[in-house]
Amino acid sequence: MYEIIMNSVDDTERFAIKLANILEAQDTITLEGDLGAGKTTFTKALAKGLGVKRTVNSPTFTIVKQYEGRLPFNHLDVYRLAESDEDLGWDELFYGDAVSVVEWAHLIEQDLPQDRLAIEIYRIGENERRFVLIPRGERYEALCEELMK
């Protein structure tokens, strides 16, 4: 487990772009945090780092939005699936050629890849956030080690 304090939105954006630069196809990042914690802010910066040119916003009503960049990018917000056990083609999303970010990931825990980078975001002030990175699998442990350099 790794912890990083972000003192501003700029810190969060720099961190997300740094992560984007070392991501590969099939990488999955899960995001947890209260409303307003900064999940979408982080995701927008990650998309920017992946070379996505379109405006990225929360896919709350569509569950999945897909974008093109250096790598295809899937942005999932599964908040509305809290009471559902429907299979929405997770394998095609997670095991294709894209990077995937899943907000409210605990709601589809059983459908997520076992190996992934879990990020928990905690609001500790107006612009300050605590990011807790939990790597699951060797690939994500190596990613975290690279990020901490």
Side-chain angles (χ1 to χ4, degrees), residues 77-120:
D77 182 329
V78 298
Y79 184 78
R80 297 202 178 279
L81 296 180
E83 302 299 319
S84 174
D85 58 359
E86 187 175 343
D87 181 351
L88 296 176
W90 304 121
D91 285 351
E92 290 82 13
L93 289 171
F94 297 132
Y95 300 106
D97 59 354
V99 168
S100 296
V101 170
V102 185
E103 296 186 36
W104 305 102
H106 70 279
L107 297 173
I108 61 164
E109 181 72 32
Q110 71 283 357
D111 297 308
L112 293 169
Q114 182 175 346
D115 289 359
R116 61 187 184 265
L117 177 58
I119 300 177
E120 298 172 358

